[in-house]
Amino acid sequence: MTAESDQAPVAAGSRAGVPDWLRRAATLNELWTFVILLALVVFFTIAAPGKFFTTYDITQIAVNAAIYLVLGVGMTFVIITAGIDLSIGSVLVLAAVAAGEYNIHHGGPASGWGTVALCVVIALAVGTAWGALQGVVVASGKVPPLIVTLGGLGAALGIAELATGGQDPAGAASTHLQNSLGFGKLLGIPWMVILAAVVTAIFGAVLAATRFGEHTLAIGSNPTAVRRAGIPVGRHLVKVYGLMGLLAGLGAVMWLASYGTTSIAGHSTDNLKVITAVVLGGTSLFGGRGSVLGTVIGVFIPAVLTTGLIVIGVQQYWQDVAVGVVLVVAVYVDQMRRKTRERA
């Protein structure tokens, strides 16, 4: 090896006087997403001194974001495979209705822990089954995920409305469930936030450090090469969409615990909010790239944005506009990054 070759890495590493670790950090999607989140916090704190980023605000933001974080974890896996799931809000409603109807006919608000446990199982089973069914259609029917899940959105909501007559049934949640998961705290931290954190940690590890996560990323990058390597792409997609359904079912349990009702008409924009959060977190809509850590940060950007706009007195309609604009900008930035990588 020549002296020139020995010196090359040094020159590259000190280019423009910027250390290697700093330049690597600057390319991390999570870092830039966190900078955006921090900028929003600083802006609203200055715009509404003493009114924003109080202990109460932080707790409420975390609780409000908990369900969307759980849904966002599942959506991260789906989008990494270059898929999409528009049905999550309707699947959540369907799972909540199934669990709620069982609770109504087995004690209502006064139902015991045994009924609560069965309601949880019902919600998780309904969500998983619906998600897996959509995965089967995507994998074997070769129907685009956008179309499959758009149809699933209407079908799941329709079934829920048929079962309830389009009305939210009374007594859908047990008092035990609400007093524990819904309103309970551990060391001052709401159980809703703790549950969301546990789900995030588990599936973050699954994506980053297991064969399942490795295959998920590989399918999004190059499904043809994955098939040639002998990995069953179709079966894996069924599992991924089943996971999304499972977490939608868990979201239904969390919703029942928080609000005590199914809120049939209250989840029409869940897909927009969750997809926005995932894309903001750096997961590419073209597949093959993403992280659960990025999704965590991405979930809190719309949550902070919405809370901050409320604090400074902006009308609710403008809040929806802001979230929509943020989604479009995030997709545009992702597309520019993709083109840049292809040119490189």
Side-chain angles (χ1 to χ4, degrees):
M1 182 176 294
T2 65
E4 291 181 358
S5 62
D6 287 339
Q7 294 173 357
V10 177
S14 59
R15 187 180 304 153
V18 180
D20 286 337
W21 66 268
L22 188 57
R23 287 191 292 106
R24 285 196 298 269
T27 64
L28 294 176
N29 292 316
E30 293 86 350
L31 176 63
W32 289 112
T33 308
F34 181 73
V35 169
I36 294 171
L37 176 60
L38 186 61
L40 285 174
V41 171
V42 171
F43 170 77
F44 287 120
T45 301
I46 295 173
K51 296 180 180 180
F52 182 77
F53 212 58
T54 63
T55 302
Y56 175 80
D57 283 334
I58 295 172
T59 302
Q60 287 303 115
I61 289 172
V63 170
N64 293 339
I67 295 175
Y68 296 115
L69 179 54
V70 168
L71 296 177
V73 170
M75 188 67 77
T76 301
F77 281 80
V78 171
I79 293 181
I80 284 176
T81 66
I84 200 77
D85 190 346
L86 300 179
S87 70
I88 54 173
S90 295
V91 175
L92 186 154
V93 169
L94 180 61
V97 165
E101 287 291 336
Y102 183 87
N103 189 77
I104 290 169
H105 294 93
H106 292 82
S111 59
W113 283 110
T115 299
V116 171
L118 283 173
C119 286
V120 171
V121 171
I122 289 170
L124 296 179
V126 168
T128 303
W130 194 274
L133 176 61
Q134 292 185 147
V136 168
V137 177
V138 169
S140 61
K142 306 301 180 184
V143 183
L146 178 70
I147 302 301
V148 172
T149 59
L150 183 60
L153 182 156
L157 185 59
I159 293 173
E161 291 174 333
L162 286 171
T164 61
Q167 302 296 320
D168 293 312
S174 168
T175 302
H176 289 308
L177 179 64
Q178 289 195 274
N179 288 340
S180 55
L181 178 60
F183 308 128
K185 295 181 179 181
L186 176 65
L187 302 177
I189 304 174
W191 277 110
M192 290 278 289
V193 176
I194 294 173
L195 177 58
V198 170
V199 170
T200 300
I202 291 173
F203 288 103
V206 168
L207 180 61
T210 68
R211 183 173 296 177
F212 184 86
E214 181 183 341
H215 290 177
T216 300
L217 289 161
I219 288 171
S221 297
N222 194 332
T224 302
V226 172
R227 287 191 182 92
R228 289 174 179 171
I231 298 172
V233 174
R235 189 184 307 169
H236 190 87
L237 287 176
V238 173
K239 292 177 182 178
V240 168
Y241 282 89
L243 171 61
M244 179 71 260
L246 172 69
L247 295 179
L250 180 58
V253 174
M254 297 169 73
W255 188 272
L256 287 171
S258 294
Y259 302 101
T261 180
T262 52
S263 298
I264 293 175
H267 297 275
S268 58
T269 61
D270 282 2
N271 48 15
L272 171 63
K273 293 175 182 176
V274 173
I275 293 170
T276 299
V278 173
V279 174
L280 275 174
T283 299
S284 175
L285 281 172
F286 301 96
R289 191 182 79 251
S291 72
V292 171
L293 174 60
T295 296
V296 173
I297 302 171
V299 164
F300 280 97
I301 289 179
V304 168
L305 183 62
T306 300
T307 302
L309 291 174
I310 292 173
V311 169
I312 64 176
V314 175
Q315 288 185 341
Q316 180 180 355
Y317 307 112
W318 284 109
Q319 298 167 26
D320 296 335
V321 171
V323 172
V325 170
V326 166
L327 174 60
V328 173
V329 171
V331 173
Y332 175 78
V333 171
D334 176 54
Q335 196 170 19
M336 292 302 99
R337 286 174 176 171
R338 181 169 176 262
K339 288 181 179 179
T340 300
R341 287 195 304 272
E342 288 176 351
R343 286 196 297 266

